[in-house]
Amino acid sequence: WFEIAAFAALATSFLRIPSIFNGIFSPQHAVHKFGYDPAICGVLWTIVLLGMLHGTGRLRRLLELAPVRYLGLVSYSVYLWHVKFLTDVDDMKVPHPVRLLIFIALVVAVGSVSYFLIERPLSRLRFTRSGLRAAEPTLPAPL
């Protein structure tokens, strides 16, 4: 049951993206934003994570795919940049599905650059009593 609820929550969270909702349901008046979005999406993602942890493993295998794992790696940078590009891309005079693809490509590209040039190097800095220094790289344990 956990996994069924998780897949339903995942589908519902994708339907909360206005361009996907408008593309599927074609309302007379296009939806631009849903109300209570942070709270509802938070609950939906909690259900997805619970289904992944307590389900049969299908959802876990889906989330272990390389593109999804990469998005997890750069997700904080993507989170930091997405609001800036959301308003910019929303003003484009192109169809909603194209806008969504442009938005995803732009945010992942800028988030990736931000992760590798800013976030990752800064995460290696360590504060010591003698001052700031870069952490020494660690090698993986031999097999």
Side-chain angles (χ1 to χ4, degrees), residues 16 25 45 99-100 108 129 134 142:
R16 292 191 62 79
F25 296 109
W45 281 109
R99 240 187 282 176
L100 178 63
V108 171
R129 288 186 181 199

Side-chain angles (χ1 to χ4, degrees), residues 45-58:
W45 281 109
T46 301
I47 294 169
V48 169
L49 293 176
L50 285 172
M52 183 195 69
L53 292 172
H54 300 292
T56 60
R58 288 186 183 103

